[in-house]
Amino acid sequence: MTLLAVESLRVAYGDLTAVHDISFSVEPGEIFVLLGANGAGKTSVLRAISGLLKPTRGTLNSEGVSLLGLRPDQVAHLGIAHVPEGRRIFPNLTAEENLDVSFIRQRSKETLAQLRDRVYGIFPRLASRRRQTANTMSGGEQQMLAIGRALMNTPKLLMLDEPSLGLSPLMTELMFEQLARIRDQGASILLVEQNASCIDMATRGLLLANGHTMLSGDHAKLRDSDFVRRAYLGV
Amino acid sequence: MLQALLSGILVGGVYGLFSMGFSIAFGVMRIVNFAHGELVMIGMFAAFFAYSAAGVDPLVAIPLAFVVVAALSAVLYLLVYRRFVGRATLQQLLAAIAVALILQTSATLIFGPSAHAVRSNWGSQYLLIGPIFLSYAQLAAFAISVACVLTVEAVLRKTSWGKAIRAVADDPEAAQLVGLNSQVINITAFACSGALAGIAGAVLVSYYPVSPHVGFLLMPIALIATVLGGLGSIGGAFVGGIICGVIQQMTSVLWTSALQDVPLYGVLLLLLAFRPYGLFGRVSAH
């Protein structure tokens, strides 16, 4: 069943329409990218899916269940985890406490400690920082923590909003590799990025400009598109 | 001097206790509850009622004050404060002041406008250490306050509910995204905020007379203690409360008790001007 089906989604803030009738779907095992410049409406799409804002029209379904009208915590309990823009870790909690509060027991076959150890296995740096207050961690570590926190949901769909923001190219590459590994372990990924290097690992994707769909298709179509090449890859 | 310092610390312990409650409501929900002093007053009346109706010592009546004020707070949250979560707006302040006035008037209707004092045998006795004398009632009040504060701190650090409360205080939106139900957390946090006011009331009434207007005397202390301790820092509010107690007692010894609140407000103004994040400033999420 389709993990996420977005149909004719429109998001408006007052008179300003941020997203115009966008449609796409994410299937199990996919890495789907939403590519676009600042202000293209990418963040609004994610916020609408996770219930942080109410779409003006359109439908949102996950495995046949409508997400419309659900609170963000209810969407999270369906296994849709959202790593928001700017990481938004809990600054005064330790790294481990950040993970603990994000554990959704009903969704997990593992215990809190087992799942936490699995996250530490994916991000060993977090294990050495477990007693450290989150605001004292480096940007890269905070991004790992934000992703680790989402994994405590045991998500079927992991949505990330510009996780490469503020990271060095090396760190970004490392993080994309981790995402591929997380996908291999069973979660699908919906990735919002300005950084076109994420196309390499995408199965499919969609290019947004000013809230409109410019292009949508599979990996090859995105990679070979003149528009993406000129606008994002600089070739 | 030493006398003033010590009794300031003792009195300040109770201030710290209800200031912590005030700080929880602000830290978790950004609600400035101007009716918090009235919640202490209700706690005082609950304990006084147990004393006058059944001869129960106020300290024994702590569970009663706890339950009554926690339940009242939960109801107030559902009826009023729920609408203002996350926004310390003018409307929220006015709503809280309205609640304060309603509680005050109701207390006046039920108990009359005059002050009532508890007269227990041990409460009026003093412990003498050389030239220093300390009231047993205040010593007991301080000990209970410290025990409550340590309990709250432990709950906030160790339990999953406590960690969830701190997560919501840090970033309510991110807390929802990781699956925390903010409605459940808010109502329990608000009840907890009230419960601390209730305990403080029962403790306070063992040495301080209760009247329907006592809330307006206590409210500014909670506000100043919270700012002193750092907005949103729950443990800091307890330390802030003790500082308030010491400033008050020092003023009444060195100057005059009639003006004991004046330097307190001076401290508030200085703080807001120079250290708006308090003495124990903490990081905000944004």
Side-chain angles (χ1 to χ4, degrees):
Chain A
M1 257 218 274
T2 302
L3 204 47
L4 177 71
V6 176
E7 204 75 58
S8 312
L9 179 72
R10 182 182 295 177
V11 178
Y13 303 93
D15 288 340
L16 186 82
T17 304
V19 177
H20 296 269
D21 307 319
I22 300 271
S23 301
F24 65 92
S25 65
V26 182
E27 304 295 335
E30 268 204 294
I31 297 184
F32 192 99
V33 296
L34 274 177
L35 206 59
N38 254 340
K42 308 175 305 264
T43 296
S44 298
V45 173
L46 289 198
R47 290 176 68 85
I49 296 167
S50 53
L52 287 172
L53 59 81
K54 226 176 113 157
T56 318
R57 55 166 284 192
T59 60
L60 298 164
N61 288 287
S62 174
E63 296 181 326
V65 180
S66 173
L67 304 180
L68 292 177
L70 296 186
R71 295 189 311 265
D73 59 289
Q74 293 173 317
V75 174
H77 277 257
L78 290 176
I80 299 178
H82 181 168
V83 179
E85 196 177 1
R87 329 187 209 295
R88 303 281 290 273
I89 50 158
F90 303 117
N92 297 296
L93 269 56
T94 65
E96 186 147 297
E97 288 172 337
N98 264 274
L99 297 180
D100 290 356
V101 293
S102 311
F103 179 57
I104 300 185
R105 182 165 281 110
Q106 298 92 313
R107 292 199 41 77
S108 179
K109 291 194 202 81
E110 296 163 289
T111 64
L112 169 64
Q114 284 168 337
L115 186 54
R116 207 165 51 196
D117 285 344
R118 200 147 65 81
V119 170
Y120 288 146
I122 299 170
F123 300 113
R125 282 290 282 277
L126 292 183
S128 58
R129 297 273 182 271
R130 61 169 73 191
R131 308 243 171 271
Q132 200 172 322
T133 311
N135 63 49
T136 62
M137 293 163 54
S138 76
E141 288 164 353
Q142 291 189 7
Q143 188 61 65
M144 292 175 197
L145 183 57
I147 298 173
R149 202 171 58 171
L151 293 179
M152 296 303 285
N153 175 310
T154 349
K156 50 188 193 194
L157 177 65
L158 177 60
M159 310 196 294
L160 304 107
D161 197 343
E162 296 209 33
S164 73
L165 205 72
L167 298 188
S168 67
L170 189 72
M171 201 70 196
T172 301
E173 195 154 324
L174 208 79
M175 195 237 342
F176 284 164
E177 277 169 25
Q178 305 286 21
L179 291 185
R181 187 129 54 97
I182 290 165
R183 190 267 318 264
D184 295 341
Q185 291 183 5
S188 305
I189 290 174
L190 173 56
L191 179 62
V192 157
E193 267 298 341
Q194 302 197 46
N195 185 336
S197 65
C198 68
I199 291 177
D200 290 343
M201 61 172 195
T203 47
R204 290 188 303 145
L206 186 145
L207 179 67
L208 276 177
N210 297 322
H212 292 277
T213 305
M214 299 304 288
L215 179 81
S216 84
D218 62 7
H219 172 76
K221 189 169 173 191
L222 289 172
R223 189 193 53 204
D224 298 335
S225 133
D226 284 342
F227 193 88
V228 173
R229 292 167 86 105
R230 261 181 298 146
Y232 294 99
L233 302 176
V235 286
Chain B
M1 273 300 270
L2 187 63
Q3 170 73 47
L5 180 69
L6 286 176
S7 40
I9 291 174
L10 292 188
V11 174
V14 185
Y15 293 171
L17 183 58
F18 66 74
S19 301
M20 230 167 137
F22 180 81
S23 181
I24 288 175
F26 180 77
V28 177
M29 289 158 276
R30 293 293 177 271
I31 286 174
V32 180
N33 185 11
F34 265 106
H36 195 71
E38 275 60 39
L39 296 181
V40 180
M41 180 265 291
I42 304 281
M44 291 174 85
F45 267 120
F48 177 77
F49 180 77
Y51 163 79
S52 63
V56 176
D57 189 275
L59 298 186
V60 180
I62 286 177
L64 175 73
F66 178 102
V67 172
V68 167
V69 185
L72 174 67
S73 303
V75 171
L76 287 174
Y77 176 79
L78 288 174
L79 289 178
V80 183
Y81 296 104
R82 183 166 55 95
R83 294 161 224 282
F84 301 105
V85 167
R87 312 171 264 147
T89 56
L90 181 61
Q91 286 87 334
Q92 187 260 297
L93 293 179
L94 292 175
I97 291 171
V99 169
L101 290 172
I102 290 169
L103 292 177
Q104 228 182 73
T105 317
S106 312
T108 311
L109 284 174
I110 299 170
F111 298 101
S114 55
H116 306 267
V118 168
R119 310 207 178 282
S120 63
N121 312 325
W122 63 275
S124 47
Q125 289 177 14
Y126 287 87
L127 174 71
L128 286 162
I129 312 164
I132 310 281
F133 56 95
L134 301 169
S135 117
Y136 279 117
Q138 292 190 356
L139 281 167
F142 183 77
I144 290 169
S145 300
V146 170
C148 288
V149 168
L150 292 177
T151 308
V152 170
E153 273 295 317
V155 166
L156 288 174
R157 301 271 148 220
K158 300 289 174 213
T159 68
S160 59
W161 178 75
K163 289 176 198 171
I165 292 246
R166 286 162 54 222
V168 174
D170 266 3
D171 191 331
E173 192 173 278
Q176 282 191 293
L177 287 181
V178 300
L180 296 173
N181 183 338
S182 54
Q183 295 174 29
V184 171
I185 289 169
N186 286 346
I187 189 170
T188 51
F190 207 81
C192 171
S193 158
L196 292 180
I199 297 173
V203 166
L204 199 56
V205 84
S206 65
Y207 64 85
Y208 195 88
V210 54
S211 78
H213 304 289
V214 74
F216 271 5
L217 297 174
L218 301 174
M219 180 54 231
I221 293 172
L223 192 64
I224 296 167
T226 301
V227 177
L228 263 170
L231 289 176
S233 161
I234 293 163
F238 179 69
V239 182
I242 288 184
I243 297 175
C244 284
V246 171
I247 293 176
Q248 254 191 4
Q249 293 295 315
M250 287 286 189
T251 315
S252 41
V253 168
L254 299 177
W255 196 12
T256 158
S257 61
L259 297 175
Q260 65 174 4
D261 289 339
V262 172
L264 219 46
Y265 285 102
V267 169
L268 176 66
L269 290 176
L270 287 174
L271 266 176
L272 289 175
F274 297 107
R275 293 226 41 169
Y277 293 102
L279 297 179
F280 314 99
R282 58 189 240 124
V283 192
S284 117
H286 303 293

